């Protein structure tokens, strides 16, 4: 089971998360491309850190929305969405190739992640951009429009679960403004990952268990306590493969 986290989300003097402590615990990282978080120097430093630790690097594009950290849907024409994605992913890929690496995957951020997961037209745009750039893997929600479009296009899709977010009984992530939306206790995060990894089940907010098959598990690097949760999850998954 792949463990990933969203990193490189600091920008200029705004510090987000603890990438240095998280990176050695991960199999993959999703590097912000400068629109919700990140800047050119932060992207470069995050790439160097990931290469040093042998962690797979993915692009983490978003809506252009630092104010809301990319967690608000911005409706736009599909051609604008396509250009937005092409710009962000190409920038990270170019910087990574100069550093001697290869882009492993793409994972959308925040509101764009969920919007493309439910909108077939947006999902088609995402898949078209990823394929046109020759990137082999797309991370996203299992059973989503993005998954369907990726499979139809022959793109390798890795269904993603979450260690630090509670699920509703619909198997959507519980909205952040609701109670019990975040799993802050490392033991609770580890237990959710244990169920996902070993039983392909998740316990929803209502207490019932639901089947959920995933190939990669995300920790949010911007959440307080992320490092402690990552260590607890790493113990469940075992030593990372190098």
């Amino acid at each position: 089971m792949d463990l990933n986290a969203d990193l490189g989300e600091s920008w200029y003097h705004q510090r987000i998360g603890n990438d240095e402590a998280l990176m050695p615990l991960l199999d993959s990282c999703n590097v912000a491309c400068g629109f919700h978080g990140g800047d050119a120097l932060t992207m470069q430093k995050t790439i160097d850190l990931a290469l040093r630790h042998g962690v797979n690097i993915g692009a983490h594009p978003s809506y252009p929305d630092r104010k809301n950290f990319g967690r608000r849907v911005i409706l736009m024409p599909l051609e604008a969405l396509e250009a937005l994605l092409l710009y962000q992913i190409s920038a990270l890929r170019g910087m990574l190739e100069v550093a001697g690496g290869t882009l492993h995957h793409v994972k959308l951020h925040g509101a764009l992640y969920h919007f493309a997961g439910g909108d077939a037209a947006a999902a088609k745009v995402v898949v078209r951009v990823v394929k046109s750039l020759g990137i082999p893997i797309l991370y996203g929600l299992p059973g989503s429009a993005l998954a369907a479009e990726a499979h139809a296009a022959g793109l390798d899709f890795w269904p993603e679960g979450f260690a630090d977010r509670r699920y509703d009984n619909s198997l959507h992530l519980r909205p952040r403004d609701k109670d019990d939306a975040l799993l802050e206790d490392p033991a609770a995060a580890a237990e959710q990952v244990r169920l996902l990894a070993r039983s392909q089940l998740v316990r929803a907010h209502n207490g019932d268990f639901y089947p959920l098959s995933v190939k990669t598990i995300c920790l949010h690097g911007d959440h307080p306590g992320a490092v402690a949760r990552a260590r607890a999850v790493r113990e469940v998954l075992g030593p990372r493969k190098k």
Side-chain angles (χ1 to χ4, degrees):
M1 182 71 71
D2 176 81
L3 177 62
N4 77 77
D6 308 335
L7 301 183
E9 293 180 315
S10 299
W11 69 90
Y12 306 125
H13 299 298
Q14 179 70 42
R15 308 313 301 166
I16 304 290
N18 186 348
D19 293 3
E20 291 77 11
L22 271 175
M23 192 71 80
L25 301 168
L26 305 176
D27 301 295
S28 301
C29 66
N30 319 303
V31 181
C33 300
F35 278 38
H36 74 280
D39 58 60
L41 183 57
T42 299
M43 291 164 69
Q44 187 175 62
K45 288 182 175 180
T46 308
I47 287 169
D48 291 343
L49 183 65
L51 291 175
R52 191 156 68 246
H53 287 284
V55 174
N56 293 324
I57 298 172
H60 196 41
S62 68
Y63 288 122
D65 182 24
R66 288 197 197 277
K67 179 181 178 181
N68 299 290
F69 203 63
R71 289 178 174 149
R72 177 178 63 93
V73 172
I74 300 175
L75 297 177
M76 61 180 66
L78 292 176
E79 64 178 1
L81 176 61
E82 186 163 359
L84 189 83
L85 292 168
L86 187 62
Y87 181 91
Q88 292 180 76
I89 298 168
S90 296
L92 183 73
R93 186 179 70 166
M95 295 178 76
L96 176 55
E97 289 177 352
V98 168
T102 303
L103 198 60
H104 178 261
H105 67 277
V106 169
K107 176 191 165 180
L108 304 177
H109 170 80
L112 182 55
Y113 179 94
H114 293 287
F115 182 76
D119 186 276
K124 286 181 185 291
V125 169
V126 174
V127 169
R128 183 163 65 245
V129 170
V130 173
K131 284 207 72 174
S132 72
L133 291 171
I135 300 162
I137 302 168
L138 180 62
Y139 289 10
L141 290 173
S144 63
L146 197 60
E149 293 299 333
H151 291 315
L155 185 64
D156 192 3
F157 183 86
W158 286 19
E160 182 178 44
F162 289 83
D164 50 12
R165 294 290 307 278
R166 182 69 74 193
Y167 287 81
D168 277 334
N169 60 349
S170 63
L171 294 184
H172 290 96
L173 296 182
R174 189 163 175 76
R176 290 174 180 269
D177 60 353
K178 303 292 186 182
D179 64 296
D180 197 33
L182 306 180
L183 296 180
E184 299 180 310
D185 180 6
E191 179 56 28
Q192 179 147 297
V193 170
R194 185 176 290 107
L195 271 172
L196 285 168
R198 299 180 184 176
S199 304
Q200 297 186 359
L201 293 171
V202 68
R203 183 176 181 269
H205 177 70
N206 65 1
D208 291 340
F209 293 86
Y210 296 88
L212 188 66
S213 179
V214 301
K215 188 171 182 177
T216 183
I217 291 175
C218 175
L219 273 159
H220 288 89
D222 64 299
H223 289 189
V227 175
R229 285 187 290 276
R231 288 182 179 135
V233 168
R234 190 78 267 170
E235 287 187 13
V236 171
L237 297 178
R240 71 183 186 91
K241 297 176 182 178
K242 297 183 179 181

